[in-house]
């Protein structure tokens, strides 16, 4: 006689199931409450996870969201190639706002330090206004840094795209308030309650493909402010900085000028999970120069309309 009993779910699977269920509920709420939502999709692991969950939420129907990426022009080639391939293979609507266009017509000015990360805010807000998006879904998590820990899952932005922590609304149980006046929009964070470790464990369970940049590989880098940065068109390294070849991987993906690599031997997902479990350094604290400018660097940018 053949048994038809289903093997019991592990505690870890149950935790991931709960996070998945919450995120899918949030994404379905967005589809129901807003007229023109969009997913911020950079080709980084968190936005890849949001896209995966959105597809699950509406399968087998087509994805009801477009994708939007603010491309600084200093992004990693591997990540841009991944972004374009995913959009093409999935027949997804991808809008790309190129920071270079804003520099060319004078709406932005290049910074002396070469970084374009802070320059993303204006193209983002212009694109939201011009394309009429009323909900902007991002992959930010509360465990990343302190200002993101303050965010509600549905976070209101004013007519100028700014964030005022004092205007945040209570979110009781799984009730989300998407009301907004004309010109305002709402940022939505379905991964708010996930940790970096949750993200990697879920990626492992769901066998989600990532850009190779997340796994250990040999790369030419140079040291600056305690991080390994990649040489590139953005202007690094300086004459006093020496390029060396090291085995590294990236924990976050962003503008090349401010995203640092970490020394690593983790060449697959299981090894990355083991590495994260052992580390005592936060994801962004270890690898993002723009977050180290001051204790309130991210909050200041968010108040101006940043992600």
């Amino acid at each position: 006689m053949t048994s038809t009993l289903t093997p019991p779910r592990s505690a870890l699977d149950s935790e991931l199931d709960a996070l998945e269920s919450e995120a899918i509920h949030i994404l379905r709420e967005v589809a129901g409450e807003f007229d023109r939502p969009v997913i911020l999709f950079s080709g980084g692991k968190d936005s890849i996870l949001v896209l995966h969950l959105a597809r699950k939420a509406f399968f087998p129907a087509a994805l009801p969201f477009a994708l939007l990426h603010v491309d600084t022009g200093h992004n990693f080639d591997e990540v841009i190639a991944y972004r374009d391939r995913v959009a093409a293979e999935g027949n997804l609507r991808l809008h790309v706002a190129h920071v270079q266009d804003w520099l060319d017509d004078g709406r932005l000015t290049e910074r002396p330090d070469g970084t374009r990360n802070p320059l993303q805010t204006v193209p983002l807000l212009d694109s939201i206004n011009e394309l009429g998006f009323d909900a902007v879904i991002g992959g930010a998590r509360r465990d990343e840094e302190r200002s993101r820990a303050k965010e509600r899952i549905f976070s209101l932005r004013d007519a100028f795209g700014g964030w005022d922590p004092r205007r945040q609304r209570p979110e009781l149980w799984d009730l989300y308030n998407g009301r907004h006046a004309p010109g305002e929009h709402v940022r939505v964070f379905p991964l708010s309650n996930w940790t970096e470790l949750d993200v990697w464990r879920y990626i492992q369970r769901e066998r989600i493909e990532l850009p190779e940049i997340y796994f250990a590989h040999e790369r030419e880098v140079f040291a600056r402010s305690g991080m390994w940065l990649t040489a590139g068109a953005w202007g690094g390294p300086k004459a006093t900085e020496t390029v060396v070849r090291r085995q590294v991987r990236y924990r976050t993906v962003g503008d090349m000028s401010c995203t640092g690599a970490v020394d690593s031997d983790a060449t697959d997902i299981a090894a990355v999970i083991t590495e994260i479990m052992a580390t005592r350094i936060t994801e962004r604290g270890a690898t993002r120069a723009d977050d180290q400018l001051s204790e309130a660097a991210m909050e200041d940018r968010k108040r101006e309309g940043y992600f």
Side-chain angles (χ1 to χ4, degrees), residues 206-220:
E206 300 287 304
R207 299 181 180 180
I208 300 171
E209 181 193 355
L210 295 179
E212 286 300 315
I213 199 169
Y214 279 110
F215 303 101
H217 57 286
E218 284 202 353
R219 196 177 194 93
E220 290 190 342

Side-chain angles (χ1 to χ4, degrees), residues 1-304:
M1 179 177 177
T2 304
S3 173
T4 58
L5 292 176
T6 303
R9 305 283 286 172
S10 69
L12 176 58
D13 274 326
S14 296
E15 291 173 12
L16 295 179
D17 287 345
L19 290 168
E20 178 191 75
S21 178
E22 179 189 58
I24 285 176
H25 169 69
I26 293 165
L27 291 163
R28 288 173 177 166
E29 281 290 301
V30 173
E33 291 193 36
F34 296 91
D35 295 324
R36 196 167 167 77
V38 67
I39 294 176
L40 292 174
F41 185 74
S42 64
K45 67 182 186 309
D46 299 307
S47 62
I48 291 170
L49 181 50
V50 171
L51 177 59
H52 177 84
L53 290 162
R55 283 170 153 165
K56 265 198 160 183
F58 300 100
F59 180 83
L63 189 73
F65 310 130
L67 308 181
L68 171 64
H69 182 216
V70 180
D71 188 342
T72 66
H74 294 165
N75 297 98
F76 294 92
D77 291 341
E78 302 97 317
V79 179
I80 296 301
Y82 178 96
R83 178 201 69 185
D84 292 343
R85 180 169 58 79
V86 167
E89 291 177 353
N91 196 26
L92 305 175
R93 293 167 291 160
L94 172 65
H95 302 278
V96 180
H98 296 278
V99 170
Q100 187 63 52
D101 292 341
W102 273 255
L103 291 167
D104 290 344
D105 64 18
R107 284 177 287 175
L108 288 173
T109 303
E110 199 86 75
R111 291 167 53 94
D113 60 6
T115 183
R116 291 183 175 177
N117 208 45
L119 302 183
Q120 295 178 82
T121 300
V122 172
L124 171 67
L125 296 179
D126 286 353
S127 298
I128 291 171
N129 290 331
E130 291 167 7
L131 297 170
F133 297 125
D134 55 359
V136 181
I137 306 165
R141 311 185 316 270
R142 287 177 173 140
D143 78 321
E144 289 184 81
E145 59 80 49
R146 63 188 67 188
S147 73
R148 287 184 165 171
K150 296 180 182 178
E151 283 270 23
R152 296 288 194 266
I153 290 174
F154 275 32
S155 186
L156 184 67
R157 295 297 192 270
D158 64 24
F160 302 100
W163 175 58
D164 183 350
R166 295 168 298 182
R167 290 187 68 198
Q168 296 201 98
R169 300 153 169 171
E171 290 183 336
L172 305 177
W173 302 288
D174 57 354
L175 301 176
Y176 304 108
N177 185 349
R179 292 183 60 185
H180 59 283
E184 295 179 336
H185 70 275
V186 174
R187 304 283 173 91
V188 181
F189 304 106
L191 305 185
S192 285
N193 294 326
W194 296 57
T195 65
E196 182 186 14
L197 191 56
D198 293 329
V199 168
W200 277 101
R201 283 173 165 163
Y202 188 79
I203 287 170
Q204 182 185 46
R205 188 179 86 168
E206 300 287 304
R207 299 181 180 180
I208 300 171
E209 181 193 355
L210 295 179
E212 286 300 315
I213 199 169
Y214 279 110
F215 303 101
H217 57 286
E218 284 202 353
R219 196 177 194 93
E220 290 190 342
V221 294
F222 63 95
R224 181 183 294 174
S225 303
M227 293 186 296
W228 293 115
L229 297 181
T230 297
W234 59 275
K238 300 175 183 175
T240 55
E241 295 167 331
T242 303
V243 174
V244 296
R245 194 165 186 84
R246 298 183 70 90
Q247 179 153 303
V248 298
R249 74 174 193 87
Y250 288 83
R251 290 177 69 180
T252 66
V253 165
D255 190 84
M256 199 182 297
S257 63
C258 63
T259 306
V262 295
D263 289 311
S264 175
D265 296 320
T267 56
D268 56 33
I269 293 179
V272 170
I273 290 173
T274 301
E275 185 179 277
I276 294 171
M277 291 176 69
T279 188
R280 298 187 63 79
I281 302 174
T282 62
E283 179 182 353
R284 292 189 70 94
T287 64
R288 296 301 291 261
D290 49 339
D291 290 348
Q292 298 175 7
L293 295 177
S294 73
E295 287 192 354
M298 174 62 83
E299 180 160 337
D300 291 343
R301 294 202 302 276
K302 287 175 72 68
R303 285 175 180 268
E304 296 169 355

